Each structure stands twice: as structure tokens, then as C-alpha cells.
Amino acid sequence: MSVRREETKTASMLQANFQEVVPALKPKEAIDEANRCLFCYDAPCIKACPTSIDIPSFIKKIATGNLLGSARTIMEANPVGASCARVCPTEELCEGACVLNHASKPIMIGLLQRHATDWAIKNQKILFHAGEQNGKRVAIVGGGPAGLSAARELARLGYEVTVFEAREKAGGLNTYGIVSFRLPQEVALWEVEQIEQMGVTIKTGTRVGVDVTPEELLQSFEAVLLAAGMGAVPMLNIEGEDLIGVLDAISLVEDTKTKPLTDLMLGKKVVVIGAGNTAIDGATASKRLGAQLVQILYRRTEKEMTCYEFEYEFAKQDGVEFRWLVAPTRIIGENGRVTGIELMRMELGEPDAKGRRRPEPVPGSEFVMEVDFVVKAIGQTRHVDLIEMFGLQHKNGIVEIEEGTYRTSHPHVYAAGDVIFGGGNTDAMVVDAANHGKRAAHAIHTALEAKSQPVL
Amino acid sequence: MADLRINLAGIESPNPFWLASAPPTNSGYQVQRAFDAGWGGAVWKTLGEPIINVTSRFAGLHFGGQRVLGFNNIELITDRPLEENLKEMLETKKLFPKHTLIASLMVEHKREAWHEIVKKVEAIGVDGLELNFGCPHGMAERGMGSAVGQHPDLIRQQVEWVKEVAQTPVIVKLTPNITDIRFTARAASEGGADAVSMINTINSLIGVDLDSWLPIPHVDGKGAHGGYCGPAVKPIALNMVAECARDPQVGIPISGIGGISTWQDAVEFLLMGASGVQVCTAAMHHGFRIVEDMIDGLNNYLDERGIASVMDIVGKAVHTYSDWGHLNLNYKVVARIHEETCINCNKCHIACEDTSHQCIDIVTDEMTGKERLVVREEDCVGCNLCSIVCPVEGTIEMVEIPSDQPPLSWNQRQAALAADRSCEAAQE
Ligand SMILES: Cc1cc2nc3c(=O)[nH]c(=O)nc-3n(C[C@H](O)[C@H](O)[C@H](O)COP(=O)(O)OP(=O)(O)OC[C@H]3O[C@@H](n4cnc5c(N)ncnc54)[C@H](O)[C@@H]3O)c2cc1C
Ligand SMILES: Cc1cc2nc3c(=O)[nH]c(=O)nc-3n(C[C@H](O)[C@H](O)[C@H](O)COP(=O)(O)O)c2cc1C
Ligand code: SF4
Ligand code: SF4
Ligand code: SF4
């Protein structure tokens, strides 16, 4: 009896931990904040948004009570604008560019964007309709932010769009990969619904390359957009990686979004390897699953981390600890379970091609830490097989495209989103994927229009 | 998508949003940009004998961190030659044949002068005329503008002169610097005007500089009263529109002007009888692009209510606007505080305690030790003051208390008393 009660208490505690953390703006807060926006002309915040949302316009619409118009202004420019309102590193984008940084405090653009899109979600508004059918067909491989944005734009332009999605649900990492306490799944699925109700066919559970071949797509569609994102977390390639208790961060997060929360980590010691946004989500999810100690281990320093500032702050507030300049050399186990990890100290050497100083091992500095779980979060692999099946040129799995047209080395294949993300000093972003998808759609439209013009 | 087209006294327009005659409509370049941005019409900056403007012309009233709640100017009518204006008006009309272009006119009190200018502007194909009897400064000292607009006889006569030659609809723009605008509106109607527009600006002095002791704005050490407009004048304008709309002796369409900044303001003017609206200050504050939300917001408002055309809401609230003597003395509302959203600022309490009827108590909950605000409904006179000062929208609701008395207005009450008295007199 009391055990059962304990169990339900734990379950409800865990559930509470996975509720959205940042509270929505209160009605008065939203109006006050909206009225504080200066309604700048040629506003820098618009230029700082990769999808160029007309920010002063959507904020003005909040101020005048035109929430439908506001949500439409947002989603028009960014088909995943409700998700972006929650996961964009706004201080590095729109809010960082707000002119009020110089005079007072920047406008809370992300939260206002959430205010307007939440209203549309709550009131079940349909924001867009398909354009008049033009009889042309486009296939999209992958139903993440990039694929969905392209699908929405193409549907508005009158194309018959089919999205092939390997998973059970569309939405990509917004649905499966970003922790619920930052982005609840309902928000991502609402965006999917908005696009489905326009007549876009989303074939879920269909993996291109397995269930349908690239040739088939190229034969039955006028153009194909590859928006398959990236793959799983790569192997560390060290001893002990197959022990029970070695997890990958993306699967860990996915489980928290798709299955009942478990108490396996309750009171345990967890280390997370890596320092990008995958690592942060893996670490904060572990903490919220009840782990007693969560440490992020990174082979470089604070300065070289690729996660955004807000994520770093968020992890620290969640009680996640950071250890710099260490790299795992071996995972130690007993009876098939993880019991410890051997680490080696590192120091920074010469800068690499991206200008980041290369970590180098300090000989003889190995030491062992006692841990129960090792969460791997050292980035994501590339879909090299799929890319090669399409016969596309790529660099280490990064699809090469023509600047501006998103066209790959194959004349009928375009690519957008994480498949073309070339790395850099920060991680890939949803808003960039959305922007690529939108632009690729218009490039496809331009190309197909030109093709159907009679040659004089 | 609702039909936003309007018809104001025969003048058609793609939407109800026009720019008022003022700096935004000073030139072809500006009006064409405005039409591109979505404005349905424009009343060109008032034409007449070119004048000389002073520099330092405007001042703004900022209040509590919000800029330009009110706006004041001592600018006169156009300072550009008539020929130049006409050339640009012609060009604009050619580029935008479907948009509404109105010529605003102001000339001396002479029949020939009116005839001459009316013929000139109609020759270039304007959609209507607006006679400016409203500017309160400068031009009034020369016997024009509000100097005319304050005399019903002068209005009637000048409108008659214009109507002798005008081929297009004539709108008369009225000044609010007058005790009862219905008298001048009626005079315009009697003179044959097809519509009236209101309001022009209100006599004003925005402020005095605390260091230099000079009026704001001043011109080389001297100031003069200006014309006041912007959000602050909206209630004055809305009342004037409503008063004219419900006056059968006025009986002609109204173009509403004064403090309109949002689609919501526009809806209010339309409901109170305006067939279209004109905007100046809001455009001067933010640029022409504000019309985008005005159109979008109005359209969404109509769609939401399943109203097919904006003309369907014109005047729909006029019948609810009446004289005080017709209001029901037995209707009662009281304040009710929603504790869930109350933030305990106690502003309602002190407002009622010091300046109304002392009926909001601060009560300490014995269990929790927390303070609550409680309205003694039996003492509440339903004045609304607390709900006005409450910073959290919707926290103080004024709720209706059903009455066991039948409706009774002051006029009915006085009539009944008089009847009683005459009965008593007859009985004696
Ligand atoms: C843990 C984590 C946290 C993140 N946090 C943030 C953040 O806070 N802010 C931010 O801006 N970005 C964040 N990102 C990055 C962001 O999620 C991605 O940049 C974005 O989702 C890329 O969109 P996409 O459409 O290119 O790819 P994805 O979202 O990966 O979508 C690709 C889709 O293609 C499908 N697919 C793959 N292969 C096939 C195939 N062969 N056939 C059919 N379908 C296929 C996949 O199932 C998936 O649905 C985070 C990423 C991770 C992993
Ligand atoms: C600077 C300025 C100049 C104006 N000039 C004219 C004018 O030439 N003719 C006219 O009829 N009204 C003129 N007006 C009055 C406006 O057309 C309008 O009636 C008034 O500003 C109220 O509207 P608003 O509150 O939207 O500004 C002027 C107003 C301003 C602010
Ligand atoms: S999409 Fe992201 S970057 Fe763009 S405005 Fe919204 S929050 Fe800012
Ligand atoms: S820069 Fe800031 S103040 Fe200006 S429009 Fe953008 S959010 Fe508003
Ligand atoms: S004014 Fe409003 S918020 Fe303040 S105490 Fe009264 S009810 Fe509460």
C-alpha cells in the first residue's frame, strides 16, 4: 500500500519535472510588453531573425488585440514559429538585436511570439490554406522543421506535396529530440497538423532508402527535397561502451517524450559526454529524472562549448555540474553494468580549421570516477548512406548545395536543414532549418516554373 | 475575407481607412506611398492661396512613458503652389484610379474664389471635395477655417456656393471648437453638403518650458495656440460623430476623424455612425505601415462575427446613444472583485475610500492572515471608478444586480410626478 503511494508520488514528481519550465506571459504582462515595443522601421530584430518574421508587426497586433493576425504574421514567415518561440537562442538573435538593449531592456520577443501562437493553438485556428493546385508533385524526405516548412510553402504555391517520414510522427527533433520541459510535444504536433490540414500528405513510418527507394521518388515527383536531418549520436569507440547504463542523449530524451517516465536514474550518478545542446538536454533530462549528481564532461573549456548561453545557464540552474578539459578513455563495469569511467586530463593546443583550440591529452593523467550512467552526447552522425543512395556530392555527410538555390549535385534534388548544416561555433538551430526549408521551396518553385515555360 | 469597401455619400473606396488632410498627404510622393501601403483613400493637404509656415510647428504630449498621447501643431494649409499640387494629384489619380482622392479646400469668403478652386480640382478628376472649416489657428485669424466653422450662417452660405458648381460629393469638415457641433453640422446639411467630417483640431497649448518659461512650441520666443489631435482627442471626436449621427436634422453621412490609431478605434467610429475614418497623428507617429494591422484587424473582427461587409456595422450602435434623461434610474451595477487575479495593490480601495463611496474594505483573512478586498455591494453606487483604476484588466467586473423595479427614466419620473401633481390639483 505505502509502496504504491511512494511510487505514484515519484511518478507525479517526475511528471512535474517534465512540464514546460518557462511560464507563459500573463495577459497583462503581454500587453504591457507589446506596448513597450517601439514599432521600429526597418527593425534590426527582423534582420536578426533567420526567417525574417515581421516582429514589430506581430507585436503591434498583440497590442491591438488582433491575435489571429499576430499568429498569422509569425507563422507566415516561420511555419514552426510556435516551437521557435520556445527554443530559439533569442538573446543571440532577435532579442540580441533589439534597439532597446541600448536604452533599457530588450523586448521579450520570444515570449510574445509564444503568447500569440499559444492563442492560435488554444483557439484551434487554421492559419493557412493551400493554393490553387498547379498539378505538380514534390516529394520531401523528412518531416522535421526543414521538411515541414518547405511543405507548407509548396502547398501554398499549389503543389501536391508528399512528405516521407521514417518515424511514427512528424516534427523531427521538435517532436522527439528537444526535451518536453522546453518544448512540449503538443506544440510541435500542432505545427504538423497546420500543415496536414492544407492537404499535404505525410507518410509516416516510411523510411526512404528502405521502404521506398530514391529512384522511385525521382521518377514520380518533379523534385525531391532532402530534409532528413542528422542521425544518432556516434560511438565513443572506447572500451565498455556496450555496458548497461551507457545511453545516448537523443534516445534518452526521446524516451522521456514517448514513454512513461522511469525512476531508473533516481538518486544515481550520471556523466554526460559532450557540450552541445544534445548534452545539455541529456543532462537536464537526467537531473529531472531524479539523478543525484549530473556532470557534463567536456574535453575543451567553457569558451569552446557549442551550446547556447541560455542552455548553459539553464543547465547550471538545474544543478548540472561541468568538468572541463577531460576526455573518457574507458568505461568500467561490473556484472555488465556501468560502475565507473576512466578519464584523462586534456590541455588546449593549436587552433583547428574552425579556429577552436584543439584539446590534447596530458600523458599519465588518467583517473577514475564512480558513475552509474554514461550519457553520450558528442553530436550526431550523418545520413551518409541515404545521401549516397541519391548520388549526391557531400563533405563528410554534409550535403553540398548551390548557394541560394539549395540545389544539390543532382538537378532534381534539393536539400535543407541539418543535412546541410556545416557545423561551426554553435549548434544547428530549428529556425535555420525552417528558413532553409522555406527558401528551398521557393527555389524549387522558381526552377519548376522556368521548366514549364514554353521555349520560344 | 470580409468586404471592406465603403460608400460614403457616393464616394467609393477600397477600405474605410483614409489619411486626413495634413502633412502625410502633402505631396504625390507621400500619397502614392500611402496607397502602396494599403490606405484606401487620402484627403490631400488643404489647398488654397499658398501660405508661409513658421518653423517649430509641432509638440507632443507624452504621459507616463507613452509617447504622443496628444499632438499639437501650428502649421497652416499647404505651402506649395496650387499648380504643383494639382499636377501631382493628377499623376496620383492616374497611378491609383481605384483609390479615393479627395481635395481639401480653403479659400476666402468669396463666391468666385470657391467656384474657381472647385472647378480646378474637379478638372483633374478628384473623387470628392472636403471644405476645411476647421483649422483653429492662423487661417482663422484671416477669417477662414474655424472662423467660418464657428458660424452656421457662414458655413451654409459657402457650402451653397460650392454646390452651385461642384460635380462631385461635397464633405464639410467641422471644427470641434464650438459648443454644440450639431448646429454647424445642420448648417452644412442645409447648405446642401453631401457629408460632414469631424473633427479638426482643438485649440491647445501643450506646455510651458520650466527653464525658459516659453510656450511649447515657440517661434523665436513667442507661441500661439495650436490645434490638438491624437489619441487624447478620440472621446471628444467620437461623441461629436455620435451626436451628429443621431440627429435627424443632420441626416447625412459622416467621415470620422480624431485620435484613431487602431482598427478598434475605427470600429467604434463606424458603430457610432461614421461611414469611414480619417487618420493623421497615428500615421505621423508610426508611418503609413500602421494601416496593415488596421485592415487585418478589422477584417478578422468582421470574419469572427460572420459579418460580410464593413458597411453592415455602420451606425449599428447609434440607437443606443441617447440623452441622460432617458437612462434607466432603476438599473444597478456593482463592483465585483475577482480575487484570483487581484494583486493587492489596494488602488481600488483608496480610490473608493477617498474619492467615491467608501465601500471597498481591506479585510484580513483570519485563517491565512492574508488581506482581501471586499466590496460592500449594498453601499456600492456602481460608479466604475475602482474598475478604471485597477491595473489588472478584468479583475474588477461591474455586474448587473437584477432590479425588482420596472425601468424608469428621469424624464418618465418627472412626467409621472407632474401627472400626479395635476391630478391632485384637479382633485382639490
Ligand atoms: C537534443 C537536441 C536539442 C536541441 N535544442 C535546440 C534548441 O534549443 N534550439 C534550436 O534552435 N535547435 C535545437 N536543436 C537543433 C534542432 O533540433 C535541429 O537543428 C532541427 O531540428 C533540424 O531540423 P531538420 O528538419 O533539418 O531535421 P530533424 O529535426 O532531424 O528532422 C529530420 C526528419 O527526417 C526524418 N528522417 C530521417 N531519415 C529519413 C529517411 N531516410 N526517410 C524518411 N525520413 C527520414 C527523421 O525521422 C526526422 O523526422 C537541438 C537538437 C538536439 C538533438
Ligand atoms: C500638423 C497637422 C496639420 C494639419 N493640417 C490640416 C490641414 O491642412 N487641413 C485639415 O483639414 N486638417 C488639418 N489637420 C487636422 C487633421 O486632418 C485631423 O483632422 C486631426 O489631426 C485629427 O485627427 P488625428 O487625431 O488622427 O490626428 C492637421 C493636423 C496636423 C497634426
Ligand atoms: S523565430 Fe526565433 S529568432 Fe525568429 S523571431 Fe522568433 S524567436 Fe526570434
Ligand atoms: S528592435 Fe525591439 S523595439 Fe524595435 S521593433 Fe524590434 S522588438 Fe520592437
Ligand atoms: S485595484 Fe485591482 S488589483 Fe488592485 S487591489 Fe483592487 S482589485 Fe486588486
Side-chain angles (χ1 to χ4, degrees):
Chain A
M1 183 68 190
S2 78
V3 174
R4 272 258 294 285
R5 199 174 311 135
E6 268 308 301
E7 272 173 13
T8 47
K9 220 175 99 192
T10 313
S12 67
M13 176 199 85
L14 292 182
Q15 238 157 37
N17 284 350
F18 281 78
Q19 295 304 308
E20 189 160 17
V21 184
V22 179
L25 290 179
K26 298 177 198 86
K28 176 171 164 56
E29 220 176 352
I31 295 289
D32 289 355
E33 190 64 1
N35 279 307
R36 211 166 62 81
C37 167
L38 302 175
F39 195 53
C40 300
Y41 174 67
D42 202 12
C45 54
I46 305 180
K47 290 182 204 148
C49 171
T51 56
S52 312
I53 295 180
D54 190 340
I55 293 162
S57 169
F58 95 68
I59 294 180
K60 176 121 225 153
K61 289 176 189 198
I62 292 175
T64 72
N66 178 14
L67 284 158
L68 177 61
S70 181
R72 212 175 254 148
T73 300
I74 295 162
M75 300 297 289
E76 162 120 48
N78 182 345
V80 292
S83 291
C84 277
R86 293 165 160 89
V87 303
C88 270
T90 50
E91 53 288 290
E92 280 154 64
L93 302 170
C94 50
E95 290 175 19
C98 174
V99 296
L100 287 175
N101 278 297
H102 311 297
S104 120
K105 272 184 279 177
I107 299 293
M108 297 189 261
I109 300 170
L111 280 168
L112 286 172
Q113 183 167 323
R114 177 167 154 196
H115 180 76
T117 47
D118 276 355
W119 180 91
I121 296 174
K122 200 170 130 238
N123 291 283
Q124 304 182 340
K125 293 292 172 193
I126 287 177
L127 300 177
F128 302 100
H129 299 281
E132 207 182 308
Q133 292 268 322
N134 65 15
K136 296 192 192 115
R137 291 156 50 89
V138 177
I140 296 179
V141 183
L148 288 174
S149 296
R152 209 283 306 274
E153 285 306 275
L154 288 165
R156 288 181 81 193
L157 291 166
Y159 289 85
E160 191 186 323
V161 183
T162 309
V163 177
F164 295 88
E165 168 54 57
R167 309 299 308 266
E168 187 198 337
K169 291 179 180 142
L173 289 170
N174 287 0
T175 298
Y176 291 110
I178 301 180
V179 286
S180 323
F181 43 90
R182 291 204 291 125
L183 176 57
Q185 206 180 48
E186 307 89 79
V187 176
L189 294 180
W190 174 77
E191 288 165 339
V192 174
E193 249 170 61
Q194 285 285 312
I195 288 156
E196 266 187 311
Q197 60 77 26
M198 294 174 76
V200 168
T201 308
I202 304 186
K203 289 201 169 166
T204 51
T206 312
R207 185 174 290 276
V208 176
V210 177
D211 304 307
V212 45
T213 64
E215 293 76 58
E216 283 172 82
L217 297 189
L218 285 165
Q219 265 158 29
S220 17
F221 294 88
E222 260 111 315
V224 176
L225 176 70
L226 186 62
M230 293 192 260
V233 177
M235 298 293 281
L236 295 168
N237 289 322
I238 56 175
E239 188 187 320
E241 226 174 323
D242 49 357
L243 290 165
I244 300 175
V246 179
L247 310 171
D248 93 62
I250 296 181
S251 316
L252 170 68
V253 171
E254 186 179 322
D255 284 352
T256 66
K257 293 193 93 168
T258 53
K259 296 181 189 158
L261 299 168
T262 71
D263 57 3
L264 289 177
M265 280 195 175
L266 213 61
K268 303 284 192 217
K269 292 197 185 95
V270 180
V271 290
V272 180
I273 318 283
N277 49 30
T278 320
I280 301 282
D281 277 15
T284 49
S286 303
K287 196 76 199 168
R288 281 158 187 273
L289 283 169
Q292 176 221 327
L293 179 68
V294 178
Q295 291 185 304
I296 285 185
L297 311 179
Y298 187 43
R299 58 201 174 115
R300 305 181 206 238
T301 70
E302 196 170 348
K303 248 172 65 196
E304 291 82 20
M305 284 195 308
T306 52
C307 68
Y308 322 118
E309 190 59 35
F310 85 93
E311 290 181 308
Y312 181 36
E313 279 309 312
F314 177 63
K316 284 196 287 191
Q317 271 174 26
D318 256 15
V320 171
E321 293 172 14
F322 289 79
R323 294 190 77 152
W324 317 112
L325 294 168
V326 285
T329 43
R330 178 162 73 93
I331 302 170
I332 304 161
E334 252 169 51
N335 305 325
R337 272 207 70 93
V338 175
T339 56
I341 186 164
E342 184 186 80
L343 303 171
M344 181 179 235
R345 294 196 198 285
M346 311 293 273
E347 55 189 17
L348 291 182
E350 292 304 304
D352 63 12
K354 285 176 196 156
R356 295 197 303 173
R357 289 177 65 191
R358 210 189 301 269
E360 278 154 17
V362 179
S365 65
E366 290 88 345
F367 67 101
V368 173
M369 257 174 73
E370 233 178 72
V371 296
D372 304 301
F373 287 95
V374 175
V375 178
K376 300 184 284 181
I378 52 166
Q380 286 175 269
T381 55
R382 299 282 174 168
H383 292 302
V384 178
D385 289 352
L386 180 67
I387 295 164
E388 289 185 345
M389 266 193 239
F390 273 100
L392 308 179
Q393 269 175 26
H394 67 93
K395 263 201 196 107
N396 303 324
I398 302 163
V399 176
E400 293 195 354
I401 51 153
E402 183 185 76
E403 182 79 24
T405 70
Y406 296 86
R407 195 198 297 254
T408 65
S409 55
H410 188 299
H412 298 155
V413 180
Y414 297 74
D418 278 0
V419 283
I420 61 168
F421 176 70
N425 292 324
T426 58
D427 283 325
M429 293 189 286
V430 174
V431 68
D432 275 332
N435 181 44
H436 293 162
K438 193 171 88 172
R439 292 190 191 282
H442 288 279
I444 290 172
H445 178 55
T446 310
L448 295 185
E449 285 273 275
K451 215 166 80 179
S452 58
Q453 293 298 316
V455 186
L456 295 179
Chain B
M1 180 82 199
D3 184 354
L4 296 188
R5 287 173 304 169
I6 59 156
N7 184 318
L8 187 143
I11 305 171
E12 291 185 349
S13 186
N15 66 51
F17 302 106
W18 295 359
L19 283 171
S21 174
T25 60
N26 205 33
S27 67
Y29 171 75
Q30 291 166 283
V31 174
Q32 288 159 29
R33 274 174 69 84
F35 287 166
D36 273 332
W39 292 89
V43 185
W44 205 273
K45 175 75 184 168
T46 304
L47 307 173
E49 275 297 305
I51 50 80
I52 300 168
N53 268 314
V54 290
T55 76
S56 189
R57 297 177 201 176
F58 307 153
L61 180 78
H62 316 305
F63 189 83
Q66 287 286 336
R67 294 192 78 78
V68 199
L69 285 189
F71 191 79
N72 156 287
N73 84 90
I74 51 171
E75 177 180 292
L76 304 183
I77 63 171
T78 185
D79 53 9
R80 304 167 68 225
L82 183 62
E83 274 57 45
E84 227 170 86
N85 277 308
L86 290 176
K87 191 173 134 261
E88 290 174 21
M89 287 166 83
L90 180 67
E91 176 192 291
T92 306
K93 193 66 211 171
K94 269 201 191 128
L95 286 170
F96 295 90
K98 292 224 162 64
H99 288 66
T100 311
L101 191 66
I102 308 286
S104 168
L105 308 174
M106 183 194 287
V107 291
E108 305 160 80
H109 186 68
K110 280 195 190 131
R111 187 178 182 179
E112 304 72 50
W114 280 108
H115 282 188
E116 191 188 337
I117 196 152
V118 167
K119 286 180 190 154
K120 275 190 180 157
V121 296
E122 287 198 335
I124 61 116
V126 293
D127 300 294
L129 310 173
E130 186 178 83
L131 315 187
N132 178 350
F133 297 147
C135 283
H137 46 265
M139 303 312 287
E141 292 167 26
R142 304 173 203 177
M144 292 178 270
S146 69
V148 177
Q150 287 165 338
H151 295 282
D153 295 345
L154 295 180
I155 293 179
R156 191 181 305 107
Q157 173 153 71
Q158 300 199 21
V159 176
E160 279 168 5
W161 289 339
V162 169
K163 285 299 284 184
E164 285 166 2
V165 290
Q167 307 287 314
T168 60
V170 175
I171 306 168
V172 172
K173 183 167 180 179
L174 297 173
T175 176
N177 297 311
I178 188 164
T179 318
D180 187 340
I181 198 153
R182 288 175 302 176
F183 288 86
T184 48
R186 287 172 193 160
S189 184
E190 286 157 20
D194 299 282
V196 280
S197 57
M198 65 196 71
I199 57 174
N200 209 307
T201 52
I202 305 173
N203 287 354
S204 62
L205 169 58
I206 279 272
V208 179
D209 187 288
L210 296 188
D211 296 319
S212 66
W213 299 2
L214 289 173
I216 305 171
H218 74 89
V219 178
D220 198 14
K222 277 207 178 65
H225 80 258
Y228 196 45
C229 51
V233 311
K234 190 193 100 179
I236 298 166
L238 189 57
N239 170 59
M240 290 184 169
V241 166
E243 288 294 357
C244 289
R246 74 186 184 93
D247 185 84
Q249 283 168 268
V250 175
I252 47 178
I254 302 167
S255 175
I257 319 168
I260 295 164
S261 316
T262 65
W263 61 270
Q264 292 153 308
D265 297 333
V267 169
E268 293 177 59
F269 275 84
L270 295 169
L271 287 171
M272 273 301 169
S275 304
V277 296
Q278 299 184 31
V279 176
C280 165
T281 304
M284 291 181 74
H285 189 181
H286 298 297
F288 294 143
R289 65 214 160 105
I290 50 162
V291 77
E292 194 254 335
D293 178 48
M294 290 181 164
I295 292 171
D296 187 45
L298 174 63
N299 177 57
N300 290 342
Y301 173 84
L302 296 172
D303 282 355
E304 191 91 329
R305 283 165 182 72
I307 300 168
S309 159
V310 67
M311 288 304 279
D312 294 344
I313 67 168
V314 170
K316 282 297 176 335
V318 174
H319 71 281
T320 65
Y321 202 55
S322 179
D323 291 332
W324 195 94
H326 295 311
L327 306 182
N328 178 8
L329 300 171
N330 288 332
Y331 177 76
K332 183 165 163 78
V333 293
V334 297
R336 199 158 286 166
I337 297 177
H338 293 290
E339 285 180 37
E340 322 82 77
T341 49
C342 167
I343 55 175
N344 292 83
C345 65
N346 300 335
K347 293 204 63 119
C348 53
H349 165 80
I350 202 61
C352 189
E353 196 68 15
D354 283 356
T355 68
S356 194
H357 289 74
Q358 301 78 44
C359 49
I360 302 183
D361 298 328
I362 303 178
V363 180
T364 308
D365 190 308
E366 280 179 15
M367 300 286 284
T368 62
K370 273 199 192 143
E371 288 185 343
R372 296 168 50 218
L373 290 119
V374 179
V375 180
R376 289 196 319 280
E377 292 189 0
E378 60 286 8
D379 298 329
C380 171
V381 302
C383 71
N384 294 353
L385 178 64
C386 54
S387 74
I388 293 166
V389 302
C390 176
V392 188
E393 192 71 41
T395 295
I396 303 188
E397 193 185 348
M398 302 305 298
V399 293
E400 187 178 338
I401 299 293
S403 166
D404 45 14
Q405 306 283 322
L408 178 73
S409 71
W410 174 260
N411 292 355
Q412 288 166 333
R413 182 173 174 274
Q414 294 309 97
L417 286 179
D420 280 356
R421 244 175 280 144
S422 61
C423 277
E424 279 165 27
Q427 271 168 16
E428 268 169 28

PDB file of all heavy atoms in Angstrom, chain B residues 184 286 391:
ATOM      1  N   THR B 184     -23.577  73.422 -36.412  1.00  0.00           N
ATOM      2  CA  THR B 184     -22.804  73.660 -37.638  1.00  0.00           C
ATOM      3  C   THR B 184     -23.001  72.508 -38.618  1.00  0.00           C
ATOM      4  O   THR B 184     -23.014  72.710 -39.834  1.00  0.00           O
ATOM      5  CB  THR B 184     -21.311  73.859 -37.307  1.00  0.00           C
ATOM      6  OG1 THR B 184     -20.888  72.824 -36.421  1.00  0.00           O
ATOM      7  CG2 THR B 184     -21.078  75.208 -36.657  1.00  0.00           C
ATOM      8  N   HIS B 286       3.907  56.668 -36.545  1.00  0.00           N
ATOM      9  CA  HIS B 286       4.476  55.355 -36.875  1.00  0.00           C
ATOM     10  C   HIS B 286       4.725  55.110 -38.357  1.00  0.00           C
ATOM     11  O   HIS B 286       5.292  54.081 -38.720  1.00  0.00           O
ATOM     12  CB  HIS B 286       3.546  54.251 -36.376  1.00  0.00           C
ATOM     13  CG  HIS B 286       3.354  54.235 -34.898  1.00  0.00           C
ATOM     14  ND1 HIS B 286       4.384  54.005 -34.017  1.00  0.00           N
ATOM     15  CD2 HIS B 286       2.243  54.449 -34.132  1.00  0.00           C
ATOM     16  CE1 HIS B 286       3.907  54.052 -32.770  1.00  0.00           C
ATOM     17  NE2 HIS B 286       2.636  54.328 -32.822  1.00  0.00           N
ATOM     18  N   PRO B 391      -5.256  47.960 -12.084  1.00  0.00           N
ATOM     19  CA  PRO B 391      -4.261  47.757 -13.146  1.00  0.00           C
ATOM     20  C   PRO B 391      -4.384  46.422 -13.880  1.00  0.00           C
ATOM     21  O   PRO B 391      -3.794  46.259 -14.934  1.00  0.00           O
ATOM     22  CB  PRO B 391      -2.930  47.823 -12.394  1.00  0.00           C
ATOM     23  CG  PRO B 391      -3.257  47.407 -11.004  1.00  0.00           C
ATOM     24  CD  PRO B 391      -4.653  47.865 -10.738  1.00  0.00           C
TER      25      PRO B 391
END
